[in-house]
Amino acid sequence: MVVLDQRVLPGATEHLKIGECAQLVEAIATLAVRGAPALGVAGAFGVVLAMDEAARKGWTEAERDAAIDGIRDARPTAVNLAWGVERVRPLVAAGRDAVLAAARELAEADTAANRELSRLAADWLLERFGDRPLRALTHCNAGVLATSGWGTALGVLRELAARDRLEHVHVDETRPLLQGSRLTAYELAQEGIAHSVQVDGAAASTIVRGLVDFAVVGADRIAANGDVANKVGTLGVALACHVSGLPLVVAAPWSTVDLETATGEDIEIEERPGDEVVVIGGERFAPEVSQGFNPAFDVTPARFVSLIATERGLVEPSAGTRPTDLA
Ligand code: MRU
């Protein structure tokens, strides 16, 4: 398996050759591969990797299954990872070709879903704003890099740009791992979309001052009631939108909706090493005694979510509709 190493973008374009499950788990845990839909696809291909490694090393079925479990559990918040693994796992008995074909299908379906949900969200926005160029804010990276193609939140922005209805994008840098300034800005620059990168602390003010018309983000897990887990900082964006009467749009494929999770309170929030917060470029800038607190995600309650756009259709949680309505 070969993956683009997102840790070193945009400075370097390097690929990781992954031949063992432990390497894939490491790549996921360190965010070489990241973004909920991309994790789903990596999980599905990870099952093929486990079958190959099992055959090479003469593993028992139990050892192979434990390796598959390890991939599934490499990160806890994005439901897509477990979803991707469990979608293809039942085919293990049918053989490698069947699992590989299912993983490929899953990746193709993800790109198609992203295109459809982007179209639906763009229609919703333009109907609301009267078909004029819009100014947007986005947080983290929900683009091509985070999916198998096209993107979710960034897919909506690309769709608006394709219709000549996108004026400017404010990109939150997304501390501590800078998915906004490293990855989203990189994708927007490649697309030729006008944008500026701002510190996360500027987001509320950008929204409340009316410098944007709406905010759009992806999601790592959407609970049955419409609560949304996404990159930490999303909740602040949502609250500022709520106060200002601006829409917060969540763009995600149906694979991110977890109907078995009733509300956001039931979503496990990954807590990452504190050093990611207090060490920058290898240099610690907080006092030695100061610990970093590093929850990677937060949960935005459904009442602050104006729209969830999926390929199955749209729901407006703040107006009372729920993902369960599309089930
Ligand atoms: O920690 P990350 O970079 O994997 O977090 C990614 C996000 O929070 C994205 O917004 C989400 O996965 C949606 S990607 C289409």
Side-chain angles (χ1 to χ4, degrees), residues 27-277:
I28 291 172
T30 58
L31 273 60
V33 188
R34 51 147 297 281
L39 289 173
V41 172
F45 282 105
V47 176
V48 181
L49 189 74
M51 292 173 78
D52 289 348
E53 192 172 352
R56 240 181 15 250
K57 296 184 176 171
W59 284 351
T60 62
E61 272 187 26
E63 284 171 326
R64 182 200 62 205
D65 291 347
I68 295 173
D69 289 349
I71 294 168
R72 180 196 61 198
D73 300 336
R75 291 185 81 192
T77 305
V79 69
N80 304 61
L81 177 57
W83 174 87
V85 168
E86 299 305 346
R87 275 291 287 256
V88 304
R89 199 204 287 251
L91 293 167
V92 167
R96 185 185 191 277
D97 287 353
V99 177
L100 185 60
R104 286 193 174 129
E105 225 171 84
L106 193 137
E108 275 166 32
D110 179 58
T111 306
N114 295 339
R115 282 196 172 261
E116 177 64 5
L117 68 89
S118 297
R119 199 181 58 74
L120 294 174
D123 285 349
W124 185 90
L125 283 161
L126 293 175
E127 197 180 312
R128 188 178 177 117
F129 285 105
D131 200 21
R132 62 173 172 84
L134 301 176
R135 300 157 307 157
L137 181 146
T138 192
H139 190 78
C140 197
N141 172 266
V144 172
L145 293 166
T147 64
S148 58
W150 188 252
T152 58
L154 227 140
V156 176
L157 297 173
R158 292 175 77 185
E159 176 72 24
L160 287 170
R163 298 186 196 184
D164 208 14
R165 293 290 180 272
L166 186 62
E167 193 178 307
H168 192 86
V169 183
H170 282 262
V171 179
D172 285 352
E173 61 177 352
T174 317
R175 282 271 294 145
L177 299 179
L178 304 177
Q179 289 93 332
S181 51
R182 291 191 305 108
L183 308 177
T184 296
Y186 170 73
E187 290 198 42
L188 291 173
Q190 284 198 330
E191 293 284 319
I193 293 175
H195 63 281
S196 39
V197 177
Q198 61 186 18
V199 296
D200 299 337
S205 165
T206 298
I207 293 164
V208 172
R209 288 166 69 199
L211 301 182
V212 294
D213 298 300
F214 72 100
V216 61
V217 295
D220 286 86
R221 191 182 295 240
I222 299 173
N225 73 338
D227 291 349
V228 173
N230 190 48
K231 179 55 58 193
V232 68
T234 300
L235 175 58
V237 169
L239 292 171
C241 283
H242 181 72
V243 163
S244 309
L246 299 184
L248 172 77
V249 173
V250 173
W254 188 255
S255 55
T256 303
V257 176
D258 179 10
L259 295 178
E260 283 170 23
T261 296
T263 75
E265 281 181 20
D266 305 319
I267 298 175
E268 183 181 346
I269 299 298
E270 176 186 4
E271 202 163 311
R272 298 188 57 82
D275 275 4
E276 287 182 352
V277 177

